[in-house]
């Protein structure tokens, strides 16, 4: 008799009664934000968990079962396939054997300084137990780098993020931790993976970016992490627009919206995914559907902020949403309207979002040129160059200046254009 069956019968409960209780509890936990989606329990499913070879439940299902029975799942007789992968020992011989530089010193040479103490402590015993503080350090590092990306761009961040991600995988593969902390560790690893994809995208490393996005997407599916799926698909959509893959961008945005419904995403997420879809339609020249998605984005945005807004939507202020609409208008051939929107966005953006302001200035310059307004194009390009000189290192922003250069070149005899072309060549060579 399995432990789950013993507990159920000790409480004089039928499988149907337990299933009804579990479904009620799942709804309550979802309302409290303790699970990302509401799992559905059936008698057929539950009977398998009481069987001799019970399947390993999905993450949210595990949470509900643990809360209901007030015991770890392992105590209930449930095990992941292949055994408890999380509980692998890190032994001293593995890190210190052999002459010359040890694996420990090699790892410390490659890791950021804040990780070094954790590694040294790991070899002081035969087991490496991961604590909440270590996972929180990784989370804080991921959030700090996202903030740096917003101001300066991701071109100088992807190597450090890659090192942090390697270390996160090392923790997962070699450390000891309970199921709850394991979920947190996988969540942070997903954050780092999709951020790494974004930084590679911003650095112009498109093949690497797509590979990291695919890895994050697979991780989201494996762990049923709809939040990570929504974020990653949003990133993939933005990249697809830049790669002129409009249909792919629309599919990514719509799939992201499907995942967002699973965790009842707040309005800021809905606004971001709607404007991403609008960009895909605009790149395809589909004005009708782009207009529809733009209106939906603004409706969602005006519904305001929420305590549930994830950090990765923090960049979507009024200036950025205005800029993204302006980009849509430019793709749809509405140059004058695009210029007005992009000019407004540029004046609204703050210093913490200098990268986005720089990109907006590049599009503003192109929109002005499309309408024959050379003076405003020169002014926008000059300000974009100033941002780059002040430390904003986004390869995307620099590449936009190359496009501006080619469009300005036929006007090289106009006032200020010749000198500006030389400055662009010096910065974007």
């Amino acid at each position: 008799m399995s432990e789950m069956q013993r507990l159920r019968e000790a409480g004089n409960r039928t499988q149907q009664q337990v299933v009804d209780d579990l479904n009620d509890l799942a709804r309550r936990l979802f309302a409290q934000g303790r699970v990302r989606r509401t799992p559905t329990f059936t008698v057929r499913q539950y009977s398998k968990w009481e069987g001799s070879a019970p399947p390993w439940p999905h993450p949210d299902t595990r949470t509900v079962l643990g809360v209901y029975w007030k015991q770890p799942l392992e105590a209930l007789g449930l095990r992941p396939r292949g055994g408890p992968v999380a509980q692998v020992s890190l032994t001293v011989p593995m890190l210190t054997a052999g002459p010359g530089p040890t694996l420990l010193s090699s790892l410390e040479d490659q890791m950021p300084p804040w990780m070094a103490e954790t590694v040294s402590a790991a070899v002081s015993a035969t087991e490496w137990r991961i604590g909440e503080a270590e996972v929180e350090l990784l989370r804080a590092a991921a959030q700090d780098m996202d903030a740096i990306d917003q101001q300066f761009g991701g071109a100088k961040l992807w190597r450090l993020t890659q090192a942090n991600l390697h270390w996160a995988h090392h923790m997962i593969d070699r450390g000891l931790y309970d199921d709850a902390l394991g979920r947190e560790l996988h969540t942070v690893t997903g954050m780092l993976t999709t951020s790494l994809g974004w930084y590679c995208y911003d650095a112009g490393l498109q093949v690497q970016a797509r590979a990291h996005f695919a890895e994050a997407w697979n991780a989201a599916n494996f762990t049923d992490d709809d939040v990570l799926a929504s974020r990653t698909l949003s990133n993939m959509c933005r990249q697809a627009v830049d790669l002129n893959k409009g249909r792919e961008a629309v599919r990514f945005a719509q799939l992201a919206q499907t995942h967002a419904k699973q965790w009842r995403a707040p309005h800021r997420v809905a606004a971001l995914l709607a404007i991403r879809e609008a960009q895909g339609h605009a790149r395809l020249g589909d004005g009708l559907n782009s207009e529809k998605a733009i209106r939906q984005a603004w409706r969602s945005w005006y519904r305001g902020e929420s305590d549930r807004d994830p950090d990765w939507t923090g960049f979507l202020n009024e200036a950025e949403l205005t800029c993204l609409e302006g980009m849509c208008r430019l793709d749809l051939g509405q140059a004058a309207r695009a210029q007005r929107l992009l000019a407004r966005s540029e004046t609204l953006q703050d210093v913490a979002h200098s990268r986005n302001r720089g990109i907006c200035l590049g599009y503003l310059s192109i929109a002005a040129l499309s309408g024959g307004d050379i003076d405003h194009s020169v002014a926008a390009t000059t300000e974009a160059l100033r941002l780059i000189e002040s430390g904003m290192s986004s390869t995307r922003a620099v590449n936009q200046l190359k496009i501006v250069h080619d469009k300005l070149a036929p006007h090289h005899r106009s006032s200020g254009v010749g000198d500006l072309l030389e400055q662009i060549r010096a910065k974007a060579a």
Side-chain angles (χ1 to χ4, degrees), residues 26-226:
R27 287 189 287 270
R28 293 198 301 274
L29 293 179
F30 181 78
Q32 296 168 7
R34 296 173 64 182
V35 293
R36 293 188 175 91
R37 64 168 66 180
T38 309
T40 300
F41 295 86
T42 65
V43 171
R44 180 181 179 184
Q45 175 193 57
Y46 190 84
S47 64
K48 293 180 180 178
W49 290 328
E50 290 191 352
S52 58
W56 182 241
H58 291 298
D60 287 331
T61 302
R62 297 201 295 269
T63 298
V64 177
L65 287 170
V67 171
Y68 183 77
W69 289 117
K70 298 180 176 60
Q71 294 190 40
L73 265 64
E74 290 77 7
L76 297 173
L78 301 179
R79 297 284 189 280
R81 291 176 181 266
V85 177
Q87 298 192 359
V88 179
S89 296
L90 179 67
T91 61
V92 173
M94 178 181 178
L95 290 176
T96 60
T102 64
L103 175 58
L104 173 60
S105 62
S106 175
L107 283 171
E108 288 180 331
D109 286 342
Q110 297 178 40
M111 285 184 291
W114 60 268
M115 290 182 175
E117 182 178 353
T118 299
V119 185
S120 300
V123 297
S124 63
T126 58
E127 293 182 345
W128 179 24
R129 186 164 297 280
I130 306 300
E132 292 182 7
E134 292 167 296
V135 178
E136 187 55 36
L137 279 173
L138 276 176
R139 186 190 304 277
Q143 292 170 345
D144 287 347
M145 285 185 286
D146 284 344
I148 294 170
D149 168 60
Q150 287 299 316
Q151 185 165 358
F152 298 105
K156 296 181 179 179
L157 293 175
W158 67 269
R159 289 182 179 85
L160 178 58
T161 304
Q162 190 173 59
N164 288 342
L165 181 59
H166 285 163
W167 185 241
H169 281 299
H170 191 66
M171 292 169 73
I172 289 173
D173 293 340
R174 301 293 184 179
L176 286 169
Y177 43 83
D178 60 26
D179 192 61
L181 196 60
R183 287 195 298 272
E184 288 298 310
L185 189 52
H186 278 89
T187 296
V188 173
T189 302
M191 290 169 55
L192 287 166
T193 305
T194 200
S195 290
L196 176 56
W198 180 264
Y199 303 152
C200 287
Y201 156 66
D202 195 59
L205 306 173
Q206 304 304 335
V207 174
Q208 294 94 320
R210 287 176 74 90
H212 293 307
F213 287 150
E215 182 183 352
W217 167 236
N218 288 335
N221 284 324
F222 182 74
T223 59
D224 287 330
D225 191 338
D226 291 302

Side-chain angles (χ1 to χ4, degrees), residues 6 42 52 56 70 76 108 114 117 134 142 172 188 245 270 280 292 298 300-301 315 320 337 348 365 377 399 417 419:
R6 187 192 68 76
T42 65
S52 58
W56 182 241
K70 298 180 176 60
L76 297 173
E108 288 180 331
W114 60 268
E117 182 178 353
E134 292 167 296
I172 289 173
V188 173
K245 298 176 179 289
K292 180 180 177 182
W298 280 109
S300 296
W301 193 86
F315 76 97
E320 180 63 9
R337 191 170 182 181
L348 290 173
S365 181
S377 179
N399 286 340
V417 172
D419 290 341

Side-chain angles (χ1 to χ4, degrees), residues 203-204 362-363 365-366 369 381 384-385 388 394-410 420-421 423-429:
Y363 280 101
S365 181
I366 294 169
L369 275 176
T381 305
L385 281 168
I388 292 172
S394 168
T395 303
R396 281 191 296 153
V398 173
N399 286 340
Q400 273 189 282
L401 290 183
K402 295 179 182 179
I403 299 172
V404 172
H405 175 279
D406 293 342
K407 291 183 177 293
L408 272 174
L420 186 60
L421 291 174
Q423 293 177 50
I424 295 175
R425 287 192 290 270
K427 293 295 180 184

Side-chain angles (χ1 to χ4, degrees), residues 135-396:
V135 178
E136 187 55 36
L137 279 173
L138 276 176
R139 186 190 304 277
Q143 292 170 345
D144 287 347
M145 285 185 286
D146 284 344
I148 294 170
D149 168 60
Q150 287 299 316
Q151 185 165 358
F152 298 105
K156 296 181 179 179
L157 293 175
W158 67 269
R159 289 182 179 85
L160 178 58
T161 304
Q162 190 173 59
N164 288 342
L165 181 59
H166 285 163
W167 185 241
H169 281 299
H170 191 66
M171 292 169 73
I172 289 173
D173 293 340
R174 301 293 184 179
L176 286 169
Y177 43 83
D178 60 26
D179 192 61
L181 196 60
R183 287 195 298 272
E184 288 298 310
L185 189 52
H186 278 89
T187 296
V188 173
T189 302
M191 290 169 55
L192 287 166
T193 305
T194 200
S195 290
L196 176 56
W198 180 264
Y199 303 152
C200 287
Y201 156 66
D202 195 59
L205 306 173
Q206 304 304 335
V207 174
Q208 294 94 320
R210 287 176 74 90
H212 293 307
F213 287 150
E215 182 183 352
W217 167 236
N218 288 335
N221 284 324
F222 182 74
T223 59
D224 287 330
D225 191 338
D226 291 302
V227 178
L228 177 60
S230 302
R231 179 186 181 185
T232 301
L233 287 162
S234 172
N235 290 343
M236 294 168 76
C237 174
R238 183 68 186 88
Q239 184 193 33
V241 170
D242 275 6
L243 296 178
N244 204 29
K245 298 176 179 289
R247 290 181 180 175
E248 188 176 84
V250 171
R251 287 198 297 271
F252 287 153
Q254 292 176 343
L255 185 56
Q257 290 164 352
T258 299
H259 281 277
K261 290 177 182 177
Q262 294 295 327
W263 59 286
R264 296 183 184 177
H267 300 309
R268 281 295 192 265
V269 173
L272 174 61
L273 300 182
I275 199 65
R276 291 287 191 243
E277 181 181 353
Q279 289 184 279
H281 289 306
R283 185 50 61 100
L284 292 170
D286 184 349
L288 181 64
N289 282 310
S290 186
E291 289 277 0
K292 180 180 177 182
I294 288 170
R295 289 195 298 271
Q296 180 58 50
W298 280 109
R299 280 196 299 269
S300 296
W301 193 86
Y302 278 123
R303 287 172 181 165
E305 298 177 336
S306 164
D307 291 340
R308 296 178 59 235
D309 290 342
D311 292 336
W312 47 269
T313 60
F315 76 97
L316 193 67
N317 52 21
E318 183 179 1
E320 180 63 9
L321 189 52
T322 301
C323 176
L324 294 174
E325 180 183 351
M327 292 163 61
C328 291
R329 301 296 178 188
L330 188 58
D331 277 345
L332 292 171
Q334 303 168 10
R337 191 170 182 181
Q339 184 177 348
R340 290 194 298 271
L341 287 165
L342 293 165
R344 171 171 168 74
S345 171
E346 190 273 327
T347 62
L348 290 173
Q349 199 62 278
D350 55 37
V351 68
H353 299 88
S354 294
R355 192 272 313 279
N356 290 347
R357 181 170 177 245
I359 290 174
C360 178
L361 285 163
Y363 280 101
L364 174 57
S365 181
I366 294 169
L369 275 176
S370 298
D373 189 347
I374 297 174
D375 289 342
H376 280 107
S377 179
V378 168
T381 305
T382 301
E383 182 61 17
L385 281 168
R386 188 192 67 77
L387 284 176
I388 292 172
E389 290 171 354
S390 67
M392 194 270 291
S393 59
S394 168
T395 303
R396 281 191 296 153

